[in-house]
Amino acid sequence: GQPGPSHSVPPRGAQQPPAADRSRGAQPNARSGATTGTSTGPSTGTSTGPGTRVDTTDRSRSRGGPGTPATAATRTGPTPATTRTAAGSDATRRSAVPRARSRRSRTRGDVGWWQTPDPRKATATATGLTPASEVTGPQGPLALLRRRLGGSSAHRRPLTPAQRTAQRRRRVKWGVLGSLAAFVLLPLLALGLGWLAFSVPTADDAVNNQVATISFADGTDLTRLVPEQGNRTKVTVDQIPVHVREAVLSAEDRSFYSNPGFDLTGILRAVWNQLQGGVGGGSTITQQYVKNALVGDQVSLWRKYKELIVSLKVSQEKSKDEILTDYLNTIYFGRGAYGIQSASQAYFGKDVGRLTVAEGALLAGVIQSPSRWDPAIDPQKAVQRWDFVMDGMVGQGWLSPGDRAAATFPATQQRKAAPGSGSYSDSRGHVVNAVKAELDSLGITDQEMAQDGLRITTTIDPERQRRAVEAAQRTLAGQPDNLRSAVVAIDPRTGGVSAYYGGENGVGLDYARVSKQPGSTFKPFVVLAALSHDPPIGIGTTFDGSEQTGLRNADGADCPRCDLKQAMTISNNVIFTKLAAKVGPENVAAAARAAGITSPLDNPDARLALGNKEVTPLELASAYATIADGGVWHAPHFISRVVTADDRVLYEAPEPQGERRFSEQVARNTIEAMLGVVPNDGLGIGRPVAGKTGTVQSRFEGENNDAWFSGFTPDLSTAVWIGTDMNSPIRTASGTPVEGKTLPGEVWQTFMKQAAEEEPRPEGFGTYKPIGEPPSDLPPNARPTPTPTSSAPASSSSEVPPPPAPAPATPTTEPQPGSDALPGRDEPLFPGEDGAATPDPGAPPTAQRQDCSITPCG
C-alpha cells in the first residue's frame, strides 16, 4: 500500500489540540526525552536509531476514524510534552510510569502499578526536572523519611468501623485505669507521706499554744489570757462519771465509739464548702482534739488534710477512752476554765465526780460556744442547748424518758474572774467582754480565742481609756453608792471605740450596754426628721412653746415664741413633742435608726421626741458620731485586727468608707441647732462642740431616774449615763435630783476637755448653710423691739397684736433651765385645748394671729 502520511512537529505557535486529542499523542520516552517514529506496514512498529520509537496504533482509534487502515508512522525529532500516544495501548501504559518508580511503588505500596500515573510527573521527567510534589508530597523522600521515623502518612487508609470501635474501647479502658490510679494511688501516697510527717499531740501540747493577747490600739497589752495551771486540773477517765461522758458525746459526737476518728461525710462537706468559698463542716471529738491540740483552726484544705492524718494516727495509737479524757482535759468551757474539772468548779463549785446528769448536760452544752450557752450570759439559749443535750441522751438510750421528764435545769453559781482569764474584776473586764462578744459576731469562737493563741488589736486608745475611767470615778467619788455610770467615746471618722467604761465591776452588769430611756438626748433626731421632711422644716422655724395641760416643760424652759435652735438650747418639751407629731413619730424613729440607733423603737408616738424608748449609751454615742461626721455612719467596733499564733490573719477591719445616711447640709443644720446647749449649761471645753442633755423623770414627783449628757467635736463623740440598778430616784450627795447637766455633764466635760487638748484645733464643723430661714442669734425668750406698721394707725383692726409677754414663773424650787423632765405618764399628751390664743372672729384673715402651737411660725 501507499506509505502513510508524514507527521511532522507542529510549528511553534500552532494551536494545540484539545485535551481529548492530546491524550492520544505520543508519550515522552522516559529514557531519552525525545521521540521519533516511523510507521511501516500495518500494525507493526519498528524503532530505528537512537531515541526512535515506533508506535503501532489501531487505525480505527486514529484521527481518520473508523475504517481507516492501520498506519505505521515514524516520527522524528523532539515531541512536545503535551503530545501523547493514543490511549488504550498497553505499551503506552507501561511506558507512562518509569520502571524504577513502578517497582518502588509496588514495593512500598504508595502507588500501585495498576494506578493511572500523574501526567505532571511524566512531563517533569521528560523535561529533566523534579516537581516540588515529588519531594514534599506523599510519594516524596520526605514522606518516606517520616514514615521510617514513625510518622503518619496523610494518605493512610481510613480505619474501618470495627477498628474505630476497638480504638475507642482502648481509650476508655486506659482512661478508667488512670482515674482509678488518681483516686486510689495518690491518696495512698498522700496518706503515707502525712503519716511519716505528722506527730501525735499530747494533752499538754494543747495548752502550750493557748496564750491569747488583747492589746490597745498602740500595741501595748490590755490583757493576756493565760491558761495557768490553776485553771486546768487533769483528771482520769475513771474520775469522770459515765453520765457526764455520755452527755459530752450527746452534745459533740454521738458516734464517737464507732467512728474511725474522722467523719468522712463531714470532711467532704467541708472540702465542698471551702471550694465554694464557705467554711468547713462538722468534726468528730478526735478531730476537735487534734485541731485544738496541734493543727489549729485555719480554714483551708491543708488543715483538713493534716487533721485527717493526725486523727487516724491518734485513733491507732490511743484508745477511745484515752482520746476522750485528753479532750475533756484540754477544751475551754468559758469562765476561764480549761478542762472538765475546772469547769465543774467554775459553774457548780464541786468536783467533776459529783456532777449530776443535768449538770453534766449543761457543761457539755457550753463546749460549742461558752459565750452563747453560759446561763449567766443568756439563760434562754442555755436552756435550749441543755434540752438538746438531754434529748440526745434519751435518743441514744443513755437516759430513760422518765429520768428526762424529772430532770430540771440546774442552777449555776455567780461568774467570777478566774486568774489568767483576762476577765478582770475592775472596769477592764467590760472591755474584754465587749471584745469577746465582737469576736463571736465575726465567727471567731471562744474556743479559738482560748486555744489558738490569738493576738487581738483593739481600737481602744490607752490614754483616753484611762481618762474616761478617771473622769467617772472622780465625779462619783463621795456620791451615793447606788449611782452607776457608763462612758462611751467613738471616733466619728471610723466608728472605732476609743474609750469604754461600763462600770467598776468587770464581771457584773455592763452599763454601757444596758438599755435606758435617753430623755431629751433624742431631740436631735426630731430635728433630723424635720430637716428631711417634705417640705423641710428648718431650725429657724418659730413655734409656740408655752406649757399646756398634760404637756409641760421643765422649770425655766417655757418659750412662747422660739425657733428650733432656741428650743434645743433650753430643751423645750412642748415644741419638740408637737414637731414630732407634725413630721410623724415613725419618721423620727427612722431618722434615729439611720443615725445609728439599733434598738427597736416599736410603736412610737409623739413623746418619742422626749426619749420614751430605751437605747444604750453605745448606740447613742454612735448615732451622735454620724451627725458629727456630716451624716456618714460608721459601724461601731472594738477590733481592728486578729492574728493567730502562726501569723494567719483571721480578721482585719475594712477601710473606714462609711455609709451616707443624711446629706451633709442636713447634718450641719442639726449640729447648728445643738451648738447653744453646751455654753448654756456651762460645760464648754474651749472649742466648738455640739451636745444635748437628757433627764428622765421618775414616777415620784420631782425625782429623776436617769440622767444623760451626749456631745461631740469633729474628732470624738461621747455619751455619758448615770442611773441606778433598780430604776430608783437619783440624787447627789447634797440631796438634789441628778440632771443631765450636773453629774453626767461633769463627767463628759472632764473627759472631753482632756481629749481636746490632745488633738490639734480643727476649723470647726464647716460652713453652715441654712435650710430655710436661719435661726435667731438672740437668746431664748429675748424679744426684739416691735416695729409698728406705718401704713395703718395703731388702732387699726389689721394690726397684728404683739405676742403676749411670758407669764412669770412660780416654781416651787429654783428654776433649772437645763432640766427637761418627761410629761406625766398618766396625763393626756394633747388635752384638746392647746392653750393657744383664739383669733378675733371679726378681724380680717390677714390680721389674725398665727397659731404657733400646732403649725410652725416663721
Side-chain angles (χ1 to χ4, degrees):
Q2 298 293 328
S6 173
H7 296 277
S8 61
V9 178
R12 181 173 297 180
Q15 184 177 3
Q16 297 294 326
D21 295 338
R22 289 199 308 267
S23 65
R24 299 174 182 177
Q27 292 285 352
N29 193 307
R31 298 180 180 178
S32 64
T35 304
T36 59
T38 302
S39 181
T40 56
S43 302
T44 59
T46 305
S47 182
T48 59
T52 301
R53 189 185 66 197
V54 178
D55 293 336
T56 303
T57 59
D58 188 347
R59 186 174 294 273
S60 65
R61 302 178 64 183
S62 65
R63 295 175 186 257
T68 304
T71 305
T74 302
R75 296 172 183 167
T76 308
T79 303
T82 56
T83 303
R84 300 179 182 177
T85 57
S89 171
D90 292 341
T92 300
R93 285 197 298 269
R94 292 192 183 96
S95 62
V97 181
R99 292 173 180 254
R101 288 294 305 274
S102 297
R103 285 195 300 269
R104 187 182 65 184
S105 298
R106 286 195 299 271
T107 302
R108 289 171 174 79
D110 294 331
V111 180
W113 57 269
W114 61 87
Q115 292 178 314
T116 304
D118 189 346
R120 290 173 297 179
K121 298 178 183 179
T123 302
T125 304
T127 57
L129 299 176
T130 302
S133 60
E134 283 288 327
V135 178
T136 61
Q139 311 301 333
L142 291 182
L144 176 62
L145 179 61
R146 283 197 299 267
R147 286 194 295 273
R148 289 183 174 178
L149 295 177
S152 60
S153 173
H155 291 272
R156 181 173 295 175
R157 297 180 184 178
L159 298 176
T160 63
Q163 291 173 328
R164 284 196 297 269
T165 301
Q167 187 181 56
R168 283 195 298 268
R169 290 177 178 174
R170 287 193 299 269
R171 291 175 178 174
V172 170
K173 180 181 69 175
W174 287 110
V176 170
L177 293 176
S179 300
L180 290 176
F183 281 100
V184 176
L185 297 180
L186 290 181
L188 290 177
L189 178 61
L191 178 63
L193 294 176
W195 196 277
L196 296 175
F198 304 139
S199 60
V200 176
T202 65
D204 292 332
D205 291 331
V207 182
N208 294 334
N209 295 324
Q210 289 176 358
V211 178
T213 303
I214 300 178
S215 64
F216 289 106
D218 62 355
T220 57
D221 284 355
L222 191 159
T223 183
R224 291 174 63 83
L225 307 180
V226 183
E228 297 178 356
Q229 191 62 30
N231 290 357
R232 187 175 75 96
T233 303
K234 294 181 181 180
V235 292
T236 64
V237 67
D238 296 332
Q239 294 175 290
I240 305 174
V242 174
H243 57 262
V244 174
R245 285 178 270 164
E246 290 172 342
V248 172
L249 299 182
S250 175
E252 298 297 314
D253 185 4
R254 297 178 184 180
S255 64
F256 172 72
Y257 280 98
S258 60
N259 65 52
F262 62 92
D263 181 5
L264 182 59
T265 302
I267 292 176
L268 294 177
R269 182 170 61 251
V271 171
W272 175 255
N273 290 339
Q274 291 169 12
L275 291 176
Q276 297 296 314
V279 295
S283 300
T284 65
I285 281 180
T286 306
Q287 289 176 271
Q288 292 181 48
Y289 166 66
V290 170
K291 178 181 65 177
N292 297 331
L294 181 66
V295 178
D297 200 30
Q298 181 182 5
V299 181
S300 66
L301 298 178
W302 169 255
R303 198 267 298 171
K304 275 294 181 184
Y305 162 68
K306 187 175 181 181
E307 178 184 307
L308 171 62
I309 301 301
V310 179
S311 298
L312 289 173
K313 293 190 70 173
V314 169
S315 298
Q316 292 293 321
E317 298 181 13
K318 293 188 176 184
S319 67
K320 289 290 187 178
D321 286 343
E322 290 175 326
I323 296 172
L324 182 59
T325 304
D326 288 345
Y327 173 73
L328 291 176
N329 279 328
T330 59
I331 56 176
Y332 182 66
F333 286 85
R335 301 194 180 191
Y338 295 82
I340 188 71
Q341 170 64 17
S342 297
S344 181
Q345 291 289 345
Y347 284 84
F348 302 107
K350 62 175 68 173
D351 290 335
V352 63
R354 298 169 52 201
L355 291 176
T356 66
V357 175
E359 292 169 342
L362 188 149
L363 291 182
V366 302
I367 292 175
Q368 186 183 78
S369 180
S371 62
R372 286 187 294 172
W373 309 128
D374 188 337
I377 297 176
D378 195 329
Q380 184 177 0
K381 288 184 178 179
V383 172
Q384 293 175 356
R385 182 66 175 171
W386 180 79
D387 286 336
F388 169 77
V389 177
M390 295 289 286
D391 293 341
M393 295 180 70
V394 174
Q396 295 294 315
W398 298 329
L399 183 66
S400 67
D403 291 340
R404 169 67 180 95
T408 58
F409 186 79
T412 61
Q413 62 183 10
Q414 186 178 0
R415 295 177 66 201
K416 298 178 182 179
S421 66
S423 297
Y424 293 105
S425 59
D426 59 16
S427 61
R428 292 175 293 177
H430 296 306
V431 178
V432 175
N433 292 335
V435 170
K436 289 181 178 180
E438 187 167 319
L439 286 171
D440 187 68
S441 68
L442 295 173
I444 302 173
T445 65
D446 281 1
Q447 190 82 8
E448 295 175 82
M449 182 176 180
Q451 297 181 319
D452 281 4
L454 301 185
R455 300 194 302 274
I456 304 154
T457 304
T458 69
T459 60
I460 301 294
D461 182 276
E463 191 62 25
R464 287 180 176 176
Q465 178 68 17
R466 180 184 64 80
R467 290 175 177 174
V469 174
E470 289 180 356
Q473 291 175 341
R474 290 179 181 178
T475 302
L476 293 182
Q479 300 296 335
D481 293 337
N482 67 333
L483 294 184
R484 304 289 182 263
S485 181
V487 182
V488 180
I490 292 179
D491 186 345
R493 297 161 297 187
T494 64
V497 179
S498 298
Y500 189 83
Y501 175 76
E504 285 300 305
N505 185 3
V507 295
L509 200 59
D510 182 358
Y511 295 104
R513 294 178 181 268
V514 172
S515 295
K516 297 287 184 178
Q517 290 186 358
S520 289
T521 57
F522 229 71
K523 288 175 180 175
F525 305 127
V526 184
V527 175
L528 281 174
L531 292 169
S532 304
H533 191 259
D534 186 16
I537 301 174
I539 63 174
T541 306
T542 305
F543 293 81
D544 181 358
S546 301
E547 186 173 295
Q548 302 175 17
T549 303
L551 184 61
R552 64 181 182 272
N553 295 310
D555 295 333
D558 282 344
C559 187
R561 192 177 182 85
C562 280
D563 59 36
L564 291 182
K565 182 175 181 178
Q566 293 171 329
M568 183 77 76
T569 300
I570 61 174
S571 196
N572 184 281
N573 291 336
V574 175
I575 290 177
F576 281 97
T577 304
K578 293 179 178 180
L579 179 61
K582 180 177 180 61
V583 301
E586 286 290 352
N587 291 329
V588 176
R593 294 188 191 100
I597 299 297
T598 58
S599 293
L601 307 179
D602 294 333
N603 303 317
D605 55 31
R607 288 184 297 182
L608 181 61
L610 308 182
N612 67 340
K613 300 294 183 181
E614 294 182 341
V615 300
T616 68
L618 178 63
E619 292 177 63
L620 191 63
S622 172
Y624 273 40
T626 301
I627 302 174
D629 199 38
V632 177
W633 172 80
H634 299 273
H637 59 278
F638 291 83
I639 299 174
S640 59
R641 185 179 173 88
V642 180
V643 183
T644 63
D646 55 354
D647 294 327
R648 289 182 289 110
V649 178
L650 294 185
Y651 172 78
E652 190 160 11
E655 292 295 325
Q657 299 295 329
E659 179 181 338
R660 178 158 295 282
R661 299 291 179 85
F662 303 101
S663 70
E664 188 172 1
Q665 187 180 11
V666 167
R668 181 62 183 85
N669 275 253
T670 305
I671 293 172
E672 189 69 22
M674 302 169 66
L675 288 178
V677 174
V678 172
N680 184 72
D681 292 338
L683 300 174
I685 61 174
R687 60 186 296 182
V689 61
K692 187 68 191 78
T693 56
T695 305
V696 181
Q697 190 180 36
S698 172
R699 64 182 182 275
F700 302 105
E701 185 68 24
E703 301 287 348
N704 302 323
N705 277 3
D706 300 278
W708 300 70
F709 195 95
S710 186
F712 53 84
T713 66
D715 304 312
L716 195 63
S717 171
T718 303
V720 179
W721 166 86
I722 287 181
T724 64
D725 290 325
M726 306 302 295
N727 288 329
S728 56
I730 50 177
R731 288 183 172 270
T732 65
S734 60
T736 59
V738 178
E739 299 176 352
K741 72 171 186 178
T742 58
L743 295 184
E746 292 176 22
V747 175
W748 182 89
Q749 183 185 36
T750 302
F751 171 74
M752 289 293 287
K753 182 177 289 187
Q754 294 176 342
E757 294 173 354
E758 300 174 356
E759 300 291 339
R761 183 177 296 274
E763 298 178 358
F765 292 102
T767 304
Y768 167 56
K769 182 179 180 182
I771 297 176
E773 291 294 325
S776 173
D777 293 331
L778 297 174
N781 288 321
R783 300 299 178 192
T785 303
T787 303
T789 305
S790 59
S791 60
S795 60
S796 173
S797 61
S798 62
E799 179 182 7
V800 179
T810 56
T812 56
T813 58
E814 182 180 354
Q816 300 179 25
S819 179
D820 46 13
L822 285 167
R825 298 182 180 180
D826 297 331
E827 299 175 354
L829 182 62
F830 298 105
E833 293 294 335
D834 56 17
T838 303
D840 182 3
T846 56
Q848 293 181 2
R849 180 178 181 273
Q850 185 177 2
D851 182 7
C852 299
S853 62
I854 299 296
T855 304
C857 300

